[in-house]
Amino acid sequence: MNRRPVALGVAVLAAVMLVCGATVGLPMVMFGQADAEAAACEVPSLPGSSPVPGAGRWDGAATTNAASIVAVGRQRQVPPRGYVIALATAMQETALRNLANANVPESLRLPHEGVGRDHDSVGLFQQRPGWGSVRERMTPTYAAGKFYEALVKVDGWQRMRLTDAAQAVQRSGLPEAYQKWEGDAEQLAALVLGLPNIDDIGGGTPTAPCGVDDLGPVPVGPGGWVQPIRAGIVSPFGPRGGRLHAGVDLSKADIRGDAIRAAATGVVEQVKCNWYTTCDRDGNTSGRGCGWYVDIRHPGNVVTRYCHMIQRPEVAIGQQITAGTVIGFVGSSGSSSGPHLHFEVHLNVPPGPLHATDSNAVDAAVFMRRQGAPLGMAT
């Protein structure tokens, strides 16, 4: 899906006009501070017309429905991450088709793009009678509005994995099914808006309200080091269960999705997920490894490691970065009991990407205190 971004982007205004002129009244949703900040992002608005041309695997009907979903989100001032969650949900439920239902005769007499048979569910999001009348649920703008209305009531939805946020609204029998559509939904949301990347307006998972660049700089200590994240030490360096816990675990309430920063200037030496079954989902203590992690080599053969990220890190192998650069976001991938950053420091590490081992690991809390950037919430 890498073609015609402008053709899709110019169609959004028409969809917005349709939403604003719709006969179905939808209440505006009040947001908290974080949502208000996200709603202030500059989202492109280009003149155009509907219907919307197809893009990649999605034909014109699907992309027109996608434009309507995004337009409703914009009209309601839902943060851009919500567009992605809504699109992924509709991709899973109906492949972005406004479906009638063979079990609901009234739906067959209304405009539709296919016929399903799932209980009494209809429309883009397969909503059941509690969501509205048959006619309302088969009106794409109404259906999208009801989805957003429920989504923004989910506590912490912007910091959740996409599938968890979608499931909190849909309550599907296949709660993990939405996750596989995340990449497609991000691309289609960007194309609809005429953007090269949805991260530019903070729609990726998870990120700053208006994109990664909006996170801004942080103070760096006199020795050139900075806390990778401001959180308490919940598990220290040292022996654990007969083996070495080679780093320190940093966590606090609602840490999922918080930015992780490079502790000092250096070169990215490793970016990988070392346990494939829990790369893009929460892991557990019976799993193995760091999940998504980054190694950075600093002057003097010092290597720092950052584990359990929520998704593929924001940096690439060989990239030169400065202290405080955002390299990823807190998650719980790999062998993990919950969202946290596992942070390691290794000294006198021989050249090469695989030489940071337990044998050269040191207590990160002691090391960072000596660098003038002590770990913990009180600093």
Side-chain angles (χ1 to χ4, degrees), residues 8-22 45-52 63-76 140-142 144 192-193:
L8 286 174
V10 296
V12 174
L13 182 60
V16 172
M17 292 173 65
L18 174 62
V19 172
C20 293
S45 180
L46 300 172
S49 60
S50 188
V52 186
T63 52
T64 297
N65 288 330
S68 294
I69 290 170
V70 171
V72 172
R74 292 189 57 200
Q75 187 259 345
R76 284 175 159 252
T141 52
Y142 177 92
V192 163
L193 291 166

Side-chain angles (χ1 to χ4, degrees), residues 35-118:
D35 292 324
E37 291 175 358
C41 301
E42 291 188 12
V43 181
S45 180
L46 300 172
S49 60
S50 188
V52 186
R57 67 189 297 173
W58 309 107
D59 64 15
T63 52
T64 297
N65 288 330
S68 294
I69 290 170
V70 171
V72 172
R74 292 189 57 200
Q75 187 259 345
R76 284 175 159 252
Q77 297 186 327
V78 175
R81 176 64 177 161
Y83 313 163
V84 175
I85 296 170
L87 288 174
T89 301
M91 287 173 175
Q92 169 61 26
E93 296 290 353
T94 62
L96 286 170
R97 303 278 180 180
N98 190 25
L99 295 185
N101 190 318
N103 301 319
V104 184
E106 181 184 350
S107 69
L108 300 172
R109 297 190 292 270
L110 296 170
H112 57 276
E113 297 150 356
V115 179
R117 294 179 177 272
D118 184 12

Side-chain angles (χ1 to χ4, degrees), residues 81 84-86 88-89 147 151 154-169 174-180 182 186 203-206 256-257 277-283 292 308-311 329-334 339:
R81 176 64 177 161
V84 175
I85 296 170
T89 301
F147 179 87
L151 177 66
V154 177
D155 187 34
W157 66 270
Q158 291 190 74
R159 291 173 177 265
M160 293 179 177
R161 291 189 306 144
L162 181 146
T163 200
D164 294 333
Q167 174 65 3
V169 175
L174 299 171
E176 287 292 330
Y178 304 104
Q179 191 64 39
K180 65 178 176 288
E182 184 164 29
E186 288 180 349
T205 61
R256 185 190 295 274
T277 61
T278 58
C279 288
D280 294 308
R281 59 183 295 179
D282 287 354
W292 280 116
H308 306 308
M309 295 186 187
I310 197 170
Q311 63 182 30
F329 299 93
V330 175
S332 191
S333 58

Side-chain angles (χ1 to χ4, degrees), residues 240-281:
R240 180 195 289 175
R243 57 174 297 179
L244 178 66
H245 184 236
V248 297
D249 291 347
L250 301 164
S251 191
K252 62 180 181 180
D254 198 28
I255 196 172
R256 185 190 295 274
D258 280 7
I260 301 169
R261 298 177 182 273
T265 295
V267 177
V268 177
E269 190 168 75
Q270 188 67 266
V271 175
K272 68 181 296 185
C273 180
N274 63 355
W275 188 238
Y276 70 93
T277 61
T278 58
C279 288
D280 294 308
R281 59 183 295 179

Side-chain angles (χ1 to χ4, degrees), residues 262-268 294 296 298 315-316 318-323 325-327:
T265 295
V267 177
V268 177
V294 170
I296 301 174
H298 310 282
V315 292
Q319 182 177 341
Q320 295 187 359
I321 54 177
T322 58
T325 298
V326 175
I327 61 174

